[in-house]
């Protein structure tokens, strides 16, 4: 059973998400938070597997709340805006991905399952567009650990930033799934990245991939 916490300042949306999630046999809502501070507190007491986190909330916004809990809990950001700079900040804070609030119900449920499984939800094209938009800004800090990557690891990092899944990496590189996982593990360790989302951000900041 995947335990979900809903954090949104709109009671109607929280109720709608709860009905949708609780209708699934493998999902259950363990709590609702109306602001970021409450989300942090409930995360610590209820230990959810995934937090559906709104960005703009009173008391403490979704970014600050994500920063508080992302080390131990998977966070799936929900936003009204597909080009909201706050979402980019949330990804940097450790969120595992994001979806728009008008995402079809089946896609939302799928997103929860993907994030709960330990993967990062980067499938929507809007994700790459958003990251590209805000990495475009100057004054980025150098990517630490980039100089330790092998040529192959740089290639894998670039392909990840282009949105390739593990299966697509295997096909493109003509290697086994185990080899791909090894490369990704090395990238995470060398770049001190928590997950795939942060690898994508690192690739953009290192200019291995340039915004379109």
């Amino acid at each position: 059973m995947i335990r979900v916490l809903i954090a949104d300042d709109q009671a109607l949306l929280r109720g709608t998400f709860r009905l949708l999630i609780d209708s699934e046999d493998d999902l259950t809502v363990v709590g609702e938070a109306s602001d970021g501070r409450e989300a942090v507190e409930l995360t610590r007491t209820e230990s959810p597997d995934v937090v559906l986190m709104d960005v703009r909330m009173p008391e403490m916004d979704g970014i600050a709340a994500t920063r508080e809990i992302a080390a131990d809990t998977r966070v799936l950001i929900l936003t009204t805006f597909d080009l909201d700079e706050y979402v980019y900040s949330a990804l940097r804070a450790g969120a595992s991905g994001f979806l728009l609030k008008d995402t079809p119900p089946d896609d939302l449920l799928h997103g929860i399952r993907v994030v709960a499984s330990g993967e990062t939800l980067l499938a929507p094209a809007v994700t790459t567009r958003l990251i590209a938009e805000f990495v475009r800004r100057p004054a980025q800090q150098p990517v630490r650990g980039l100089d330790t990557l092998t040529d192959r690891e740089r290639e894998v990092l670039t392909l990840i930033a282009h949105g390739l899944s593990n299966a697509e990496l295997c096909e493109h590189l003509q290697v086994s799934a185990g080899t791909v996982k090894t490369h990704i593990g090395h990238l995470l360790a060398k770049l001190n990245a928590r997950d795939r989302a942060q690898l994508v951000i690192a690739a953009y900041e290192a200019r291995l991939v340039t915004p379109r």
Side-chain angles (χ1 to χ4, degrees):
M1 185 66 72
I2 298 172
R3 296 162 52 82
V4 182
L5 174 69
I6 302 168
D8 196 295
D9 62 344
Q10 298 184 45
L12 181 59
L13 277 178
R14 294 200 307 271
T16 301
F17 290 144
R18 176 183 279 274
L19 286 173
L20 176 64
I21 293 167
D22 280 342
S23 69
E24 299 295 300
D25 293 337
D26 61 331
L27 305 175
T28 185
V29 175
V30 297
E32 297 180 23
S34 59
D35 60 60
R37 193 175 306 283
E38 188 178 8
V40 172
E41 293 171 354
L42 284 175
T43 297
R44 290 170 177 165
T45 58
E46 300 298 331
S47 300
D49 300 302
V50 177
V51 177
L52 289 183
M53 184 77 77
D54 187 21
V55 174
R56 298 178 178 180
M57 293 184 291
E59 298 295 330
M60 175 188 285
D61 64 30
I63 301 169
T66 296
R67 194 173 293 114
E68 291 280 337
I69 65 176
D72 303 308
T73 305
R74 310 288 290 180
V75 177
L76 178 57
I77 297 291
L78 292 174
T79 180
T80 307
F81 307 100
D82 62 347
L83 284 178
D84 187 337
E85 67 175 300
Y86 295 114
V87 177
Y88 173 69
S89 299
L91 288 173
R92 294 208 63 178
S96 297
F98 80 93
L99 290 172
L100 299 180
K101 286 186 177 178
D102 61 359
T103 294
D106 286 346
D107 289 349
L108 174 60
L109 296 171
H110 173 70
I112 292 171
R113 295 183 177 105
V114 167
V115 169
S117 73
E119 296 295 325
T120 299
L121 192 65
L122 291 174
V126 66
T127 305
T128 302
R129 194 167 78 245
L130 179 146
I131 293 173
E133 176 68 20
F134 294 102
V135 174
R136 190 190 303 274
R137 299 178 177 188
Q140 295 291 336
Q141 295 295 322
V143 178
R144 299 176 66 179
L146 187 69
D147 58 347
T148 67
L149 301 185
T150 65
D151 290 341
R152 189 60 147 180
E153 288 165 353
R154 281 175 176 259
E155 181 182 10
V156 172
L157 180 61
T158 302
L159 293 172
I160 289 174
H162 280 298
L164 271 66
S165 66
N166 281 17
E168 290 168 335
L169 287 172
C170 292
E171 182 177 354
H172 183 87
L173 299 172
Q174 294 296 297
V175 297
S176 68
T179 299
V180 167
K181 289 181 179 178
T182 297
H183 285 316
I184 293 175
H186 289 165
L187 288 170
L188 292 171
K190 290 182 178 181
L191 298 179
N192 193 28
R194 181 177 179 273
D195 55 25
R196 206 181 188 98
Q198 294 190 343
L199 289 180
V200 173
I201 291 172
Y204 274 97
E205 291 183 336
R207 298 298 189 261
L208 297 180
V209 180
T210 55
R212 295 179 180 179

